[in-house]
Amino acid sequence: MPRFKAVRGTKDILPEEWPYWYYVERAIRKVTRLYGYEQIATPILEETGLYVRGVGQGTDIVDKEMYTFEDRGGRSLTLRPEFTAGIMRAYLEHGMHVRPKPVRLYSVGPIFRYERPEAGRYRQHTQFNVEAIGEQDAALDFEVISLALQFFEELGFSKYRLQLNSTGCPKCRPNYVSVLVDYYRDKRDVICDDCKRRLERNPLRVLDCKAEQCQPVIAGAPNIRDHLCDDCRAHFDQLLQYLNNAGIEYDINPRLVRGLDYYTKTVFEVWVQGIGSQNALCGGGRYDGLIEELGGPPTPGIGFGSGIERLVLTLQEQGIDVPPAPKPDVLLIHLGTEAKAQAVRLVSELRHRDVPALVTYGQKSLRTQLRDANRAGVQVAVIIGEEELRNEAVQLKWLDKGVQETLPREEAVQKLVELFTLKDA
Ligand code: HAM
């Protein structure tokens, strides 16, 4: 038994899984380029206060899920539990408001949340995160949602649905929250204990409770759409119009309330069938008050995050083929000490000429080395034995075709370079 294991809720990504990750990364590069988003990387460590203020006290993330610790200098730091607050911190810190608006940014990196691990839910996951900052226009909501959907299309997904809602703004939401709390007042006996707590700490969250006993209560709850202010209603209607014009299907889901406090107006998720209960491929929305909350000037914004582990699970679940990992093309095989020195020199020359090549180590029989070549999946074994050494030649054994030829060393190298020089590295 090994002495150590990966920490609960974290996972290793072994070489076999990387082709899926490369495939997702390719799609990220493509859509961000199509939509004009530039990359930004922020540190994994931030001051704890950033999230307490940004994501909000009373949210599950801040109350229960952050990896928070004191560093050796006595500062309270937190491993980022989401991207948005840190990116807005960077936006302010670097005076990015002077850039043409909207400022379009994306990031990819690890996120940490102390959640109950299950399929598709980890304590460390990797997010592709998109933010568009500095513009109120509902057409920007349309852009960000379109980017998410085009990303999933690019990945080849089927069976996903856009879920949409508006959670109002500080002008209209408090009124809705009090209507909701009123509605729940005489239902306390029938709802779950979590919802009783939610009604105290974060009432909107009762709407996405999964407990059986709460479902009939939620079904009868007042709909936030009936309580939006004119501004929020007009914004939502405008967004629906853009989506309708584009023929994009959506479900208006009055129970979609999201777990972070900064959202205003539009919230959305994309759900997929088949990967279990953790079915949100992405989640996001508008956060028109967040930058102000962090001490900046009033600045609207909208974005989303998408967990790459879930995307990979979905690719596997939907049986989507991804390009296989490239294998080295050439293996150098040698018989005897002098031949080995020659092989070690040749493999180095090939690599410097951009040909992916391997050499065997130790002193092994021809048979063993040929078996190694087959296992490595190379196309050609370059064999150097005593005779080849004497004639300054090498033998090329084409493993897939089962043919072999002997060529002068330089000619062989030239042939390998012509055939196998890396084109995409
Ligand atoms: P979120 O909904 O908390 O939003 O996370 C976004 C996405 O990250 C989820 O839809 C899911 O795909 C993935 N995800 C979240 N938690 C886990 C987990 N424990 N394991 C695996 N995947 C997970 C946010 O984080 C917002 N900051 C998104 C945003 C950006 N809103 C505006 N801008």
Side-chain angles (χ1 to χ4, degrees), residues 82 84 113 115 120 122 127 129 131 258 262-263 280 303 305 307:
E82 64 109 38
T84 313
R113 294 181 188 173
E115 294 189 89
Y122 311 98
Q127 246 184 53
N129 183 84
E131 311 289 357
R258 309 273 304 133
Y262 48 63
Y263 289 115

Side-chain angles (χ1 to χ4, degrees), residues 72 169 283:
R72 287 165 197 272
C169 68

Side-chain angles (χ1 to χ4, degrees), residues 131-146:
E131 311 289 357
I133 309 158
E135 181 60 70
Q136 289 274 9
D137 195 335
L140 185 61
D141 304 35
F142 173 73
E143 171 179 303
V144 169
I145 291 171
S146 303

Side-chain angles (χ1 to χ4, degrees), residues 211-317:
E212 200 60 51
Q213 70 204 89
C214 295
Q215 300 314 306
V217 184
I218 297 169
N223 187 332
I224 191 163
R225 258 190 108 184
D226 302 327
H227 298 268
L228 295 177
C229 61
D230 291 346
D231 185 29
C232 287
R233 188 189 319 251
H235 187 92
F236 197 56
D237 290 345
Q238 182 67 67
L239 170 61
L240 298 186
Q241 204 181 340
Y242 290 131
L243 291 167
N244 293 338
N245 291 347
I248 292 176
E249 289 180 20
Y250 52 81
D251 298 324
I252 297 180
N253 181 346
R255 296 179 54 171
L256 186 73
V257 286
R258 309 273 304 133
L260 304 92
D261 268 1
Y262 48 63
Y263 289 115
T264 53
K265 295 197 166 83
T266 312
V267 289
F268 68 97
E269 291 188 353
V270 174
W271 294 352
V272 71
Q273 289 168 15
I275 59 166
S277 61
Q278 298 308 312
N279 67 342
L281 291 182
C282 78
R286 248 186 196 280
Y287 45 84
D288 292 349
L290 175 59
I291 291 189
E292 215 175 339
E293 188 66 35
L294 299 178
T299 313
I302 175 163
F304 72 86
S306 179
I308 298 184
E309 288 79 0
R310 283 189 202 173
L311 302 177
V312 169
L313 276 178
T314 307
L315 289 170
Q316 292 166 341
E317 158 79 21

